[in-house]
Amino acid sequence: YGGLQTGSDGQVYGVTPAGGPGGGGVVFRLHSTSRLQDWKNQYLGDPEALDDGDPDKDGLTNLEEYAFGRLPTRPDNDRPVIFAAIHETGGIGMTLEFPRILTRSDINIHIDASTSPLGPWTEISSSLLGSPFQGEATAQSVNTQGEVETIRIIDQLLITQTDKRFLRIRITR
């Protein structure tokens, strides 16, 4: 009868007109988990496992394993691929390819570039909560099989325009 209400803690609460130990009703709280928490529970047995944990010690964090559709308990030998490719203008630039799970709309994927592995890093492309990639780098979908899409990010800075160039993938939520 009272309907549902959102509490100050952000949880949804309601009441029933009957039930409970004395039969006078029950106050209840709805608890929902995110897709990431469901994935962590399924593969790690803990919905609150650390995003930056790496139980299989393969160098990919739980959040990266989730983003790329990998198993967090089995080491992966294949990684996102960085390679040099010829741009349409005829110059050579760096290109990054990686899998993206289309149903993972609860994470952000950022592509950063730097002249040093220590930074500073500058974001050149990003996909926020499953949206298309946007930024100065060119993003292409080169293959889709089921819910896995292969993304190609093409850095617009040519190799001849810089002494060093590093690209990285950063996953956030």
Side-chain angles (χ1 to χ4, degrees), residues 102-164:
L102 295 172
T103 57
R104 307 264 159 92
S105 59
D106 54 346
I107 56 172
N108 305 309
I109 303 173
H110 308 270
I111 310 302
D112 301 328
S114 178
T115 57
S116 167
L118 301 176
W121 292 91
T122 302
E123 185 173 284
I124 60 172
S125 188
S126 65
S127 167
L128 304 179
L129 303 175
S131 68
F133 279 86
Q134 295 186 13
E136 66 184 61
T138 301
Q140 302 171 340
S141 174
V142 294
N143 185 20
T144 302
Q145 293 182 337
E147 66 178 35
V148 180
E149 175 184 39
T150 300
I151 298 291
R152 178 179 294 153
I153 302 292
I154 303 168
D155 187 10
Q156 295 305 300
L157 187 66
L158 301 178
I159 291 175
T160 55
Q161 295 173 305
T162 183
D163 291 335
K164 297 177 188 171

Side-chain angles (χ1 to χ4, degrees), residues 21-155:
V26 174
V27 175
F28 63 90
R29 180 181 73 182
L30 298 177
H31 178 71
S32 63
T33 57
S34 68
R35 287 184 197 173
L36 175 59
Q37 286 176 310
D38 292 342
W39 179 87
K40 286 179 179 181
N41 194 47
Q42 178 181 355
Y43 293 107
L44 300 169
D46 179 4
E48 302 303 323
L50 296 175
D51 286 351
D52 61 356
D54 183 13
D56 58 10
K57 310 261 188 277
D58 65 356
L60 292 175
T61 67
N62 290 330
L63 197 55
E64 291 166 338
E65 301 264 17
Y66 174 73
F68 301 140
R70 308 302 171 96
L71 296 175
T73 55
R74 190 180 76 212
D76 298 299
N77 295 326
D78 54 339
R79 303 291 172 101
V81 178
I82 296 178
F83 58 93
I86 298 175
H87 285 223
E88 293 176 6
T89 59
I92 297 175
M94 292 180 68
T95 300
L96 174 65
E97 282 190 9
F98 57 92
R100 171 168 84 159
I101 309 303
L102 295 172
T103 57
R104 307 264 159 92
S105 59
D106 54 346
I107 56 172
N108 305 309
I109 303 173
H110 308 270
I111 310 302
D112 301 328
S114 178
T115 57
S116 167
L118 301 176
W121 292 91
T122 302
E123 185 173 284
I124 60 172
S125 188
S126 65
S127 167
L128 304 179
L129 303 175
S131 68
F133 279 86
Q134 295 186 13
E136 66 184 61
T138 301
Q140 302 171 340
S141 174
V142 294
N143 185 20
T144 302
Q145 293 182 337
E147 66 178 35
V148 180
E149 175 184 39
T150 300
I151 298 291
R152 178 179 294 153
I153 302 292
I154 303 168
D155 187 10

